[in-house]
Amino acid sequence: MTLFVSQSSASVSPVSTGETLKLYIDGAFVDPLAGETFANINPATGALLNQVARGESADIELAVHAAKRSFEAGSWAKLPMKARCQKLRDLGDRILARRDALAMAETLDTGKPLSESLNGDIPRAAQNFHFFAEAAAQLSEECFTVDRMERHFSVREPLGVVGLITPWNLPLYLASWKIAPALVMGNSIVLKPAEWTPTTATLLAEIFQEAEIPPGVFNVVHGFGTAGSGEALTRHPEVKAISFTGETVTGKTIMKAAADSLKKISFELGGKGATVIFEDADLPNAIETAVKAAFRNQGQICLAGSRLFVQRSVLAEVLPQVLKQVASIPVGDPLQPETRMGSLISAEHYEKVMRYIELGRQEGQLLAGGTRLTQPDALAKGYFLEPTVFINLSPQSALCQEEIFGPVLPIIAFDTEEEAIHLVNDTPYGLSASVWSQDVNRCHRLSQEIRAGILWMNCWFARDLRTPFGGMKASGMGREGGRYALEFFSEFKTVCYRYQ
Ligand code: NDP
């Protein structure tokens, strides 16, 4: 398969040439001022994919000023909403037109199955642009009438320059989830993608260039988070808002850094999702979904069902079925169409997940997995981990409390509904849970008692992009999605008219 073939002669693709991935500032691909680069490694093979421009605070300075100039010039911000929506649809179409190249880039950067990138990540990225074009077109403003002579209008305005900081697990999917609403509301953007997954952000910059989005409206500054371009973005006084998806601990650091310049913030943070199977559940469906929820994307999904609670009366029936399904997950070469689990993102992350597995061996009972796959030889340099299942862990164990973000599933038995509710809520996180029971009244009770931003009853991962998305407790601040994201990326101005 040919990779990274630029589909437009107008593009000056640094990706297609296999050269260093550059920064995209003011409508051009540029080298970082300090001239430093870092290596982008394919985690499935250990091969060097490309060098990446290492942006620093001086590059953020350039990008923010380019963004500010474009904002003040109004070449994008002052376009009619209808025209901006039309451009978003065009961007979505262009992503779909490049689906194969984008999917391959995502898989090479992340180690995730190509089928997942092709059918999940990239179509969803396109959908984010299409969806926010529709959502913004429907957005209304308000008029409060005092009497025939006095009316108060509340109108939305863009914020100006906004900073978007994104993680590596769903790189283009999550970046576009922020870019599309920020863009359609008229802001200018500086994006800092995760250092491990820089390629699709660069390809997206090419798409913006081809689509003739005015220079400075969309900028990409690669680099490191801590003490790098990420941190510089969070401190820059001209950046009016930060939308961040990543670890809870990073969110806390960003909040402190953003405080001095009183930035608006939106945080989508870590999770420790639960799947809860009651004895009256549709067991085959519940089990199949619980396994998917735990191991999709190698367990590297914030919404993963990373704890499985099973009512004790059906544990003996559920457990062998779970193990049978886990054993049948094809793990291996991400490029093979039948693969369902690929490589973890990096050596560092693999070490972290293995530390949890070692702890699990000491504190509980390993039922499946736990080892790195190194055969056939082609897998030896990747970070392929078998889907791993534990039982007999205390709910207070680190494996049940902390976000592992890998293919590790503790199974915990419970007796009563009250106990299940307590167990689900008993972590610092509050992002998501999936409850399985055919008793609608029970589902309703749990929907009221579980402290999480997203609850699924007899399903998992179903999304309607109009709904507010985000976490409670340590899982986030604010909501994105639908009008909530459009509100975040704009602010109200109230104008009162007194007629003569
Ligand atoms: P990190 O928090 O490590 O990094 C996320 C981004 O923040 C990266 O671009 C990173 O740069 C950057 N960053 C790191 N430190 C700083 C800093 N001090 N200032 C500014 N930017 C910084 O998260 P991961 O990339 O490891 O992603 C996994 C996490 O994301 C998990 O906790 C997961 O739950 C969460 N997540 C949450 C979702 C949600 O919707 N709630 C969805 C998806 C993931 P660099 O890459 O250089 O470190």
Side-chain angles (χ1 to χ4, degrees):
M1 187 177 305
T2 309
L3 303 185
F4 309 140
V5 176
S6 177
Q7 297 180 351
S8 162
S9 54
S11 170
V12 285
S13 166
V15 181
S16 55
T17 57
E19 291 169 5
T20 299
L21 297 190
K22 298 190 178 193
L23 312 180
Y24 184 67
I25 298 178
D26 212 7
F29 289 98
V30 296
D31 291 319
L33 290 171
E36 299 288 325
T37 60
F38 61 95
N40 179 26
I41 306 291
N42 178 347
T45 61
L48 176 71
L49 290 168
N50 39 39
Q51 291 289 331
V52 185
R54 179 173 162 178
E56 300 287 359
S57 61
D59 304 291
I60 287 289
E61 193 68 31
L62 284 183
V64 170
H65 281 287
K68 192 176 175 211
R69 272 196 310 279
S70 76
F71 184 72
E72 288 175 349
S75 52
W76 176 257
K78 291 185 181 159
L79 278 183
M81 176 63 91
K82 198 173 169 186
R84 292 203 301 263
C85 290
Q86 185 51 40
K87 274 292 187 191
L88 255 79
R89 282 187 210 100
D90 177 44
L91 288 164
D93 292 347
R94 288 173 187 269
I95 289 173
L96 285 181
R98 283 203 184 198
R99 188 177 88 153
D100 290 354
L102 286 163
M104 182 58 85
E106 209 70 296
T107 285
L108 295 179
D109 274 7
T110 59
K112 70 172 68 187
L114 183 58
S115 59
E116 185 87 22
S117 303
L118 269 175
N119 303 314
D121 295 58
I122 305 307
R124 172 58 193 275
Q127 191 193 0
N128 286 339
F129 282 94
H130 289 146
F131 167 76
F132 278 109
E134 297 311 315
Q138 304 293 329
L139 204 59
S140 61
E141 291 166 328
E142 289 179 307
C143 171
F144 300 86
T145 303
V146 174
D147 57 37
R148 286 166 57 87
M149 301 310 284
E150 185 179 319
R151 286 191 174 137
H152 298 244
F153 293 88
S154 59
V155 292
R156 285 171 208 274
E157 296 200 341
L159 299 171
V161 180
V162 298
L164 313 181
I165 303 179
T166 50
W168 46 261
N169 64 324
L170 300 162
L172 191 64
Y173 174 144
L174 290 177
S176 56
W177 179 238
K178 298 181 188 301
I179 295 166
L183 195 65
V184 80
M185 294 311 285
N187 300 284
S188 288
I189 294 167
V190 179
L191 169 70
K192 205 307 265 179
E195 70 193 58
W196 286 333
T197 52
T199 309
T200 48
T202 306
L203 286 166
L204 187 66
E206 282 184 37
I207 290 172
F208 270 67
Q209 196 181 51
E210 288 171 12
E212 298 182 349
I213 302 296
V217 171
F218 178 63
N219 305 276
V220 180
V221 181
H222 296 296
F224 300 158
T226 311
S229 55
E231 192 176 321
L233 189 58
T234 62
R235 292 192 186 283
H236 201 292
E238 294 293 348
V239 174
K240 302 300 174 200
I242 294 284
S243 173
F244 165 75
T245 298
E247 289 182 26
T248 300
V249 65
T250 314
K252 290 181 186 174
T253 307
I254 290 177
M255 198 167 181
K256 287 178 198 148
D260 274 346
S261 44
L262 285 178
K263 293 188 199 332
K264 203 174 176 184
I265 48 176
S266 173
F267 284 167
E268 298 193 348
L269 307 176
K272 191 71 184 174
T275 305
V276 189
I277 301 182
F278 284 95
E279 60 191 2
D280 60 357
D282 166 359
L283 289 181
N285 200 358
I287 292 163
E288 189 187 335
T289 312
V291 171
K292 269 194 202 130
F295 300 113
R296 185 164 170 189
N297 209 37
Q298 299 70 246
Q300 303 168 142
I301 300 187
C302 55
L303 300 170
S306 54
R307 297 173 293 160
L308 174 55
F309 299 104
V310 182
Q311 198 154 23
R312 204 178 305 275
S313 48
V314 288
L315 186 65
E317 190 179 344
V318 169
L319 210 50
Q321 288 301 319
V322 169
L323 295 178
K324 188 172 164 205
Q325 296 208 13
V326 166
S328 72
I329 297 174
V331 186
D333 181 356
L335 301 183
Q336 293 304 318
E338 65 277 8
T339 297
R340 289 293 163 266
M341 272 179 62
S343 167
L344 298 191
I345 184 71
S346 67
E348 192 182 323
H349 190 56
Y350 165 78
E351 297 297 341
K352 175 187 155 186
V353 176
M354 284 309 283
R355 283 196 291 277
Y356 280 104
I357 290 178
E358 286 315 313
L359 187 67
R361 286 179 197 271
Q362 292 161 26
E363 295 186 347
Q365 184 188 350
L366 181 76
L367 291 183
T371 46
R372 181 175 175 177
L373 286 178
T374 51
Q375 288 299 320
D377 285 350
L379 302 188
K381 290 187 178 157
Y383 302 101
F384 297 90
L385 192 50
E386 291 174 329
T388 300
V389 180
F390 284 102
I391 199 160
N392 295 336
L393 282 164
S394 155
Q396 292 309 311
S397 154
L399 278 83
C400 301
Q401 290 288 319
E402 296 171 12
E403 186 183 46
I404 301 173
F405 220 55
V408 181
L409 179 66
I411 301 182
I412 297 161
F414 68 90
D415 290 298
T416 64
E417 188 177 308
E418 291 68 31
E419 192 187 356
I421 292 167
H422 170 76
L423 287 167
V424 170
N425 283 335
D426 191 22
T427 79
Y429 296 103
L431 188 55
S432 63
S434 160
V435 174
W436 292 80
S437 163
Q438 297 195 53
D439 177 347
V440 70
N441 293 317
R442 188 206 294 279
C443 289
H444 180 64
R445 287 193 296 274
L446 268 91
S447 77
Q448 298 193 73
E449 296 300 331
I450 295 177
R451 297 279 302 153
I454 303 141
L455 298 181
W456 287 288
M457 299 295 158
N458 298 308
C459 58
W460 174 74
F461 218 63
R463 293 275 296 119
D464 180 325
L465 303 188
R466 293 171 297 183
T467 56
F469 178 90
M472 294 182 181
K473 296 153 69 180
S475 287
M477 282 185 73
R479 296 292 181 268
E480 296 191 351
R483 71 179 165 84
Y484 309 92
L486 301 177
E487 277 169 10
F488 176 77
F489 287 113
S490 59
E491 60 189 341
F492 274 120
K493 178 185 275 177
T494 297
V495 184
C496 170
Y497 283 86
R498 173 75 57 82
Y499 304 98
Q500 301 298 322

